[in-house]
């Protein structure tokens, strides 16, 4: 960390509420009952999340980045992931990693007197400077440093003739921190443990809440859930519970585990002094090709999957709850995952360093109901370091068109393509055309003026603060 926060102005613990931030994996806009097109409607009820939504500021226009790593980078730093070189999903063996110089949300909380802890999925790098305990967290338990994809790798590696030594070297593990912040392996993260990890994450989270609620300092707990990422892997207690199949079983278990964490806050008697934030990291995976019985997450009325830049890939569930302080309501105002760093820093009376650009905006007045309007009206999304989409008000603009793949099944997301047009971007009106079927660039070209201004402001920012080199697995130096 090279930047530090300043202007610490908190006066009492009532100015420093506990914070429990839960980040789900791959839950789409159309999965939860409270968002209107999931839950009971799809044979997979979500009573705990529906109840939390009823007591929260429920955001119906909450945006993230197009993958696990980029969204997590945006959440922790308050900056577009491309500014920290993390705009691609980290794959083992590649150099992408969170750098020491980034200032994280955990570090901001820690500098304000918080005890900090993390459980679950991190996915911001495995190098020493990148692990949670070197980025502001006092402890890390049931740690998934990479992604649940890796539980599938040994099968195909064996079928490809790789040696057991090579397979063991690539094996994903569960990690836990030592007193000095170093990490130790606890057990392999394999397909067998896949069915137990979500329960263990919940147990570790509830233990942390019980322990820290008895102390004098406020706490910040970051819970990185593994569900509902493929491969399907609900605990046996939840198998065959959903009429919609294995994906529904996983979602129902996830809902139960979220309920356990909320119940732990209530049991500790600290609900009125605890902000609970629930978010998804990106949009859905709609098909899991290794299993014909798996029908995945849904983008609801939108189009898009994790890895692409369409509305359904980036618009996901988001809830913020603090009884007596954040009025419970449903809002369609625009908020992004980058906004939590400046918002929480602002709540704590801290100023962010001025040696780097921040893309998040302080939403505190909107959260607490002092303003009816969000402080955000646009968002830029990147693929491979390149501006791939701009959302401005109700308009979505693409420099290159996103095209569904010709594979079987045909797919969006990481399997999709992007193609050059005829010198004009594609323009869609999301409120009139949520599935982005009618390109209106010919009749609404006036939108290109605000679009170019947004792009221009970003390009100006990187002249003074250049982005680090972008890592790519498809484009190489000549």
């Amino acid at each position: 960390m090279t930047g530090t926060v300043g202007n610490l102005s908190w006066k009492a613990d009532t100015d420093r509420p506990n914070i429990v931030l839960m980040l789900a994996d791959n839950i789409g806009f159309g999965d939860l009952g409270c968002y209107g097109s999931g839950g009971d409607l799809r044979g997979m009820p979500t009573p705990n999340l529906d109840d939390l939504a009823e007591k929260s500021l429920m955001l119906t226009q909450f945006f993230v980045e197009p993958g696990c790593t980029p969204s997590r980078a945006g959440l922790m730093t308050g900056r577009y992931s491309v500014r920290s070189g993390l705009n691609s999903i980290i794959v083992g063996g590649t150099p992408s990693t969170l750098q020491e110089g980034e200032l994280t949300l955990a570090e901001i909380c820690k500098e304000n007197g918080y005890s900090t802890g993390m459980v679950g999925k991190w996915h911001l790098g495995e190098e020493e400077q990148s692990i949670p305990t070197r980025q502001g967290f006092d402890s890390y338990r049931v740690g998934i440093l990479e992604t649940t994809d890796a539980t599938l790798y040994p099968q195909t590696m064996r079928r490809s003739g790789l040696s057991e030594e090579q397979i063991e070297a690539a094996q994903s593990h569960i990690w836990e921190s030592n007193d000095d912040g170093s990490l130790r392996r606890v057990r392999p993260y394999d397909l067998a443990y896949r069915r137990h990890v979500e329960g263990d994450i919940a147990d570790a989270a509830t233990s942390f809440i019980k322990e820290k609620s008895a102390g004098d300092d406020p706490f910040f707990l970051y819970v990185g859930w593994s569900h509902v990422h493929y491969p399907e892997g609900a605990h046996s207690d939840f198998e065959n519970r959903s009429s919609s199949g294995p994906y529904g079983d996983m979602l129902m278990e996830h809902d139960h585990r979220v309920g356990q964490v909320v119940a732990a806050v209530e049991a500790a008697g600290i609900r009125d002094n605890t902000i609970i934030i629930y978010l998804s990291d990106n949009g859905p995976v709609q098909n899991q090709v290794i299993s014909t019985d798996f029908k995945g997450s849904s983008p609801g009325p939108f189009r898009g999957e994790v890895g692409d830049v369409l509305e359904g890939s980036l618009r996901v569930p988001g809830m913020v709850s603090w009884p007596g302080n954040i009025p419970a309501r449903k809002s369609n105002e625009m908020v992004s995952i980058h906004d939590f760093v400046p918002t929480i820093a602002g709540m704590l009376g801290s100023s962010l360093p001025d040696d780097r650009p921040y893309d998040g905006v302080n939403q505190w007045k909107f959260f607490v109901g002092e303003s009816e309007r969000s402080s955000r009206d646009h968002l830029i999304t990147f693929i491979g370091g390149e501006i791939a989409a701009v959302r401005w008000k109700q308009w979505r603009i693409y420099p290159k068109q996103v095209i569904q793949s010709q594979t079987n099944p045909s797919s969006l997301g990481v399997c999709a393509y992007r193609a050059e047009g005829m010198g004009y971007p594609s323009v869609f009106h999301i409120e009139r055309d949520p599935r982005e079927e009618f390109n209106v660039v010919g009749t609404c070209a006036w939108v290109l003026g605000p679009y170019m201004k947004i792009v221009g402001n970003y390009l100006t920012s990187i002249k003074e603060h250049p982005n680090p080199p972008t890592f790519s697995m498809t484009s190489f130096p000549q």
Side-chain angles (χ1 to χ4, degrees):
M1 179 182 71
T2 56
T4 58
V5 295
N7 298 332
L8 304 185
S9 62
W10 44 266
K11 301 178 291 298
D13 282 349
T14 53
D15 299 308
R16 296 184 298 158
N18 306 305
I19 303 168
V20 176
L21 193 166
M22 293 183 276
L23 187 65
D25 205 350
N26 292 7
I27 286 185
F29 193 92
D31 287 346
L32 307 183
C34 50
Y35 278 82
S37 55
D40 286 310
L41 191 67
R42 292 183 57 207
M44 45 187 194
T46 53
N48 293 292
L49 282 160
D50 296 349
D51 181 67
L52 180 61
E54 188 175 337
K55 299 171 181 175
S56 299
L57 166 57
M58 176 181 157
L59 302 167
T60 58
Q61 198 173 184
F62 175 70
F63 289 105
V64 294
E65 296 209 22
C68 304
T69 298
S71 286
R72 284 166 168 76
L75 176 63
M76 285 292 109
T77 68
R79 291 149 39 87
Y80 289 138
S81 61
V82 69
R83 298 195 192 273
S84 54
L86 291 169
N87 57 292
S88 178
I89 299 172
I90 291 178
V91 176
T94 60
S96 301
T97 187
L98 184 63
Q99 297 300 308
E100 182 181 5
E102 292 292 342
L103 175 67
T104 68
L105 182 55
E107 289 170 325
I108 293 169
C109 289
K110 194 169 179 62
E111 290 195 11
N112 278 277
Y114 278 69
S115 296
T116 58
M118 185 187 175
V119 297
K121 180 175 176 178
W122 176 240
H123 211 181
L124 288 174
E126 299 182 40
E127 294 184 3
E128 179 68 18
Q129 83 273 4
S130 309
I131 61 177
T133 46
R134 303 300 183 226
Q135 293 288 344
F137 290 99
D138 298 327
S139 63
Y140 184 42
R141 294 189 59 199
V142 198
I144 303 170
L145 285 176
E146 45 181 304
T147 174
T148 301
D149 303 31
T151 60
L152 295 168
Y153 297 168
Q155 292 180 337
T156 49
M157 291 175 77
R158 286 191 179 92
R159 291 180 182 274
S160 298
L162 274 68
S163 69
E164 289 302 315
E165 183 179 4
Q166 291 172 303
I167 294 169
E168 173 58 30
Q171 174 70 59
S172 180
H173 288 81
I174 298 297
W175 299 82
E176 190 164 303
S177 60
N178 299 309
D179 290 341
D180 63 358
S182 62
L183 300 185
R184 66 180 183 276
R185 291 178 176 179
V186 177
R187 56 154 299 125
Y189 184 27
D190 52 23
L191 287 173
Y193 185 63
R194 175 79 187 101
R195 298 192 178 277
H196 299 276
V197 67
E198 202 79 340
D200 287 353
I201 290 172
D203 288 345
T206 57
S207 294
F208 180 93
I209 292 166
K210 183 177 180 180
E211 176 189 347
K212 298 303 179 181
S213 63
D216 295 328
D217 296 328
F219 65 81
F220 169 50
L221 172 63
Y222 175 29
V223 183
W225 298 110
S226 76
H227 281 3
V228 290
H229 198 291
Y230 61 87
E232 59 87 9
H235 188 273
S236 58
D237 291 348
F238 295 87
E239 286 186 287
N240 302 313
R241 290 272 298 275
S242 169
S243 62
S244 64
Y247 177 80
D249 294 342
M250 268 207 304
L251 184 64
M252 290 176 68
E253 178 182 5
H254 174 71
D255 177 79
H256 175 76
R257 304 306 182 190
V258 170
Q260 287 181 294
V261 173
V262 175
V265 172
E266 293 171 345
I270 57 171
R271 185 64 185 92
D272 290 343
N273 194 38
T274 301
I275 298 175
I276 295 179
I277 302 167
Y278 176 88
L279 315 169
S280 179
D281 66 343
N282 46 247
V285 173
Q286 294 186 269
N287 292 284
Q288 180 188 351
V289 296
I290 65 167
S291 171
T292 56
D293 193 33
F294 184 98
K295 184 63 178 175
S297 177
S298 167
F302 309 110
R303 192 167 66 98
E305 299 182 34
V306 55
D308 67 43
V309 293
L310 298 170
E311 186 82 356
S313 169
L314 308 174
R315 190 167 178 172
V316 297
M319 312 171 196
V320 186
S321 174
W322 187 13
N325 293 277
I326 296 177
R329 64 204 191 275
K330 183 184 291 187
S331 174
N332 199 44
E333 289 293 299
M334 188 185 298
V335 176
S336 89
I337 200 164
H338 314 84
D339 296 341
F340 286 99
V341 162
T343 299
I344 291 174
M347 176 194 74
L348 295 172
S350 299
S351 58
L352 296 172
D354 58 7
D355 62 349
R356 68 200 70 186
Y358 279 89
D359 305 294
V361 295
N362 187 342
Q363 299 280 16
W364 188 246
K365 289 185 177 180
F366 168 61
F367 280 7
V368 299
E370 293 179 12
S371 171
E372 293 183 1
R373 298 294 184 185
S374 153
S375 299
R376 173 178 294 281
D377 70 355
H378 72 272
L379 182 77
I380 304 177
T381 304
F382 302 83
I383 294 288
E386 182 181 323
I387 294 175
V390 173
R391 179 68 141 73
W392 175 69
K393 296 185 181 293
Q394 66 268 51
W395 300 94
R396 183 165 282 287
I397 306 109
Y398 301 98
K400 295 179 182 179
Q401 179 75 337
V402 179
I403 302 172
Q404 196 155 318
S405 76
Q406 301 304 305
T407 53
N408 185 15
S410 180
S411 301
L412 288 167
V414 296
C415 298
Y417 316 127
R418 287 194 305 137
E420 293 276 5
M422 297 295 120
Y424 296 90
S426 301
V427 178
F428 299 91
H429 188 292
I430 290 299
E431 291 177 351
R432 293 180 60 189
D433 177 23
R435 291 192 59 77
E436 304 178 57
E437 296 172 324
F438 303 100
N439 182 357
V440 295
V441 66
T443 55
C444 299
W446 65 268
V447 174
L448 301 183
Y451 156 75
M452 291 300 294
K453 183 177 180 179
I454 292 166
V455 171
N457 289 338
Y458 166 74
L459 294 177
T460 298
S461 78
I462 62 175
K463 287 181 181 179
E464 184 175 356
H465 301 280
N467 294 334
T470 299
F471 173 73
S472 174
M473 291 178 282
T474 60
S475 179
F476 307 103
Q478 298 296 316

